[in-house]
Amino acid sequence: MRVGWAVDGDLWRLRLRLDPGEDLTGTVTDGQRVELATDTCHLRLPRSTGEASVHPDLRALAAWTVVAPWTSGRIVFDRPISSELAAALHSGWGVEAGPAGESPRTPGTRLAISYSGGADSVAVAAILPDAPLVHFRRVSHPRVPNRWTHYRSDVLAGLARKTGRDVTTVESDLEFLLRHPRPGYPEHHAVMAGAVLLAGAMDLGGVALGYEIGSRWLGGGRYVHRYTPDNPMWSAHGPWGRLFAAAGLPLVLPVGGISEAMTMRLALGSELRDQVRWCLRGDSDGPCGRCGKCLYKELIQAAIERRPMKTTITADRPVARKWQQPPPYGGQEMIEYGCAHVPGIEDTPFARAAGYLGATRESTLWLERCYPPAVEEIPEPWRRGIESTMLDEFGFMNAEDMERVESWGRR
């Protein structure tokens, strides 16, 4: 693989070229098969980000978040990178990366939040009120048709601006690199490509994300259903964690030790409550209320508010079909929590799931506490403040709670 950036003012255009033997079909870190549709994409950076402020390791890291699924054997960047970054690429993916020879990047002093506007990232924003937000907005690609027109990136970007926070919106068409399965991030980390390129101009020493206990420690939903301390995407010692750290930009997961229910409780109890939006289809009036994500999130919200669900979706709808089957389920810990806490669950699309799971309020209490190792892996500059929030808001799990986490998938 060969990759290079062409910069024209605020427009950064990435072009990739496959080596002989590399295929249009690749594999993402989580095992998802992806197929390449085109060989170029762009990012538009709204801040004054000249090439001189972007360390070569940051150029390379941003490119790698996009091209990793299709790279085998070697990757050649358009600038020399540090030997530290090359070593992280080799240890994580077995690729020879170069040319090498640049000095490593010195980390900045600030922490930015990769901000989507969903409950998890809003919870992170509530925990870190002084951190700037970097919001990724999908825009059209000049040569690839949009097959997902119901996705309202304009609405999400507008809600981000309404937070009143320091918000930088990065526009990009990189999701249209995918022919299969649909427009989406080639790697989950590509959502941070803009933040990576801005790290020098913004003096960043880390990027915070809203991945919670399900994504970090319990297998990441639909991909695996077991305890994953060595999660390759989000663990500090995994390949991506080591790579970002080598670029002086470690990944920070402030809510990595708490459940989605608790991130939602934080978000809806914060001053950013009106800007929370997990639905990708809704307009300026609110979420659509018809998609599978709305159904799932309504279960969680009803559970934390201890009220019946408010939904018109019935069990025979396609978006509810998976909850009529036996487990395992993606996000199963939250299905258990919802089924245990929602009054009248037997009259909802989750009635069968509730019967299969047999969860109770007592059996799900661990999901209201924080898993201590998640705080221990947060880099030192930000650990103490986040630890204090976890202690004050939730308390930490005891040995029995931790055993529930660490035996997940074996029950």
Side-chain angles (χ1 to χ4, degrees):
M1 173 76 73
R2 293 176 179 271
V3 295
W5 291 100
V7 183
D8 182 11
D10 62 356
L11 192 70
W12 285 64
R13 188 171 300 281
L14 179 69
R15 184 174 294 277
L16 61 93
R17 189 172 72 188
L18 299 176
D19 282 347
E22 291 177 330
D23 196 80
L24 294 178
T25 299
T27 305
V28 180
T29 304
D30 60 29
Q32 172 72 54
R33 181 180 72 85
V34 290
E35 185 178 346
L36 196 61
T38 186
D39 65 351
T40 186
C41 64
H42 80 267
L43 290 91
R44 189 176 296 277
L45 309 180
R47 293 175 182 254
S48 177
T49 310
E51 286 191 85
S53 70
V54 183
H55 190 282
D57 281 0
L58 296 176
R59 295 172 67 108
L61 176 58
W64 184 251
T65 68
V66 177
V67 305
W70 299 281
T71 306
S72 63
R74 69 164 190 166
I75 184 165
V76 179
F77 297 107
D78 60 351
R79 297 285 192 281
I81 61 174
S82 71
S83 58
E84 288 82 355
L85 195 79
L89 284 164
H90 187 267
S91 66
W93 289 268
V95 299
E96 298 295 332
E102 178 62 58
S103 298
R105 174 180 179 259
T106 301
T109 62
R110 304 175 73 204
L111 181 66
I113 300 169
S114 179
Y115 183 81
S116 70
D120 300 326
S121 67
V122 171
V124 173
I127 292 171
L128 302 168
D130 298 323
L133 314 180
V134 181
H135 178 72
F136 181 98
R137 180 185 174 187
R138 178 195 296 177
V139 295
S140 298
H141 194 286
R143 296 194 308 278
V144 181
N146 182 5
R147 294 180 287 110
W148 218 39
T149 55
H150 53 273
Y151 172 54
R152 296 298 304 273
S153 65
D154 57 328
V155 172
L156 300 178
L159 288 169
R161 289 193 298 271
K162 290 179 180 179
T163 60
R165 296 279 289 266
D166 176 2
V167 180
T168 299
T169 299
V170 174
E171 296 181 345
S172 179
D173 61 3
L174 68 81
E175 292 177 86
F176 290 98
L177 281 174
L178 299 189
R179 185 189 311 277
H180 175 85
R182 61 185 182 193
Y185 303 118
E187 289 279 0
H188 293 265
H189 307 74
V191 70
M192 292 181 283
V196 170
L197 293 175
L198 288 163
M202 296 179 68
D203 186 35
L204 300 186
V207 179
L209 301 107
Y211 289 98
E212 36 62 54
I213 195 170
S215 297
R216 168 61 186 93
W217 298 95
L218 303 182
R222 66 188 174 92
Y223 305 108
V224 293
H225 304 278
R226 57 180 172 78
Y227 175 56
T228 51
D230 299 320
N231 187 313
M233 294 183 292
W234 307 118
S235 63
H237 59 275
W240 283 103
R242 297 196 307 272
L243 185 66
F244 271 77
L249 199 67
L251 301 174
V252 181
L253 307 184
V255 295
I258 58 174
S259 67
E260 279 187 83
M262 297 304 100
T263 62
M264 187 180 290
R265 195 184 85 184
L266 264 180
L268 295 181
S270 76
E271 62 181 13
L272 301 179
R273 176 188 177 95
D274 293 340
Q275 283 77 52
V276 178
R277 178 67 65 85
W278 45 75
C279 175
L280 304 179
R281 302 167 183 249
D283 57 23
S284 58
D285 294 328
C288 74
R290 301 184 302 276
C291 68
K293 196 164 188 179
C294 279
L295 177 62
Y296 172 72
K297 293 292 188 177
E298 168 58 17
L299 174 73
I300 300 173
Q301 185 171 356
I304 64 172
E305 295 176 353
R306 304 298 195 260
R307 60 164 174 78
M309 288 182 66
K310 301 172 185 176
T311 181
T312 59
I313 299 173
T314 54
D316 58 349
R317 290 277 302 280
V319 295
R321 185 176 299 143
K322 58 187 171 183
W323 313 121
Q324 315 315 310
Q325 308 301 317
Y329 307 122
Q332 183 168 312
E333 74 282 1
M334 282 297 90
I335 305 305
E336 292 188 11
Y337 189 83
C339 290
H341 288 87
V342 170
I345 194 69
E346 64 276 6
D347 299 319
T348 75
F350 295 95
R352 286 193 178 181
Y356 288 128
L357 295 169
T360 65
R361 294 193 175 191
E362 180 64 29
S363 73
T364 57
L365 276 175
W366 62 283
L367 290 164
E368 297 180 350
R369 303 174 184 129
C370 180
Y371 182 58
V375 173
E376 293 164 8
E377 71 174 359
I378 293 172
E380 185 60 44
W382 304 287
R383 184 184 306 156
R384 183 174 299 177
I386 293 169
E387 182 178 30
S388 177
T389 299
M390 293 297 113
L391 181 61
D392 293 345
E393 293 284 342
F394 309 106
F396 287 101
M397 293 182 179
N398 59 26
E400 184 179 347
D401 296 333
M402 292 176 65
E403 173 61 22
R404 284 185 175 274
V405 176
E406 292 162 12
S407 64
W408 189 254
R410 300 201 307 267
R411 297 187 280 128

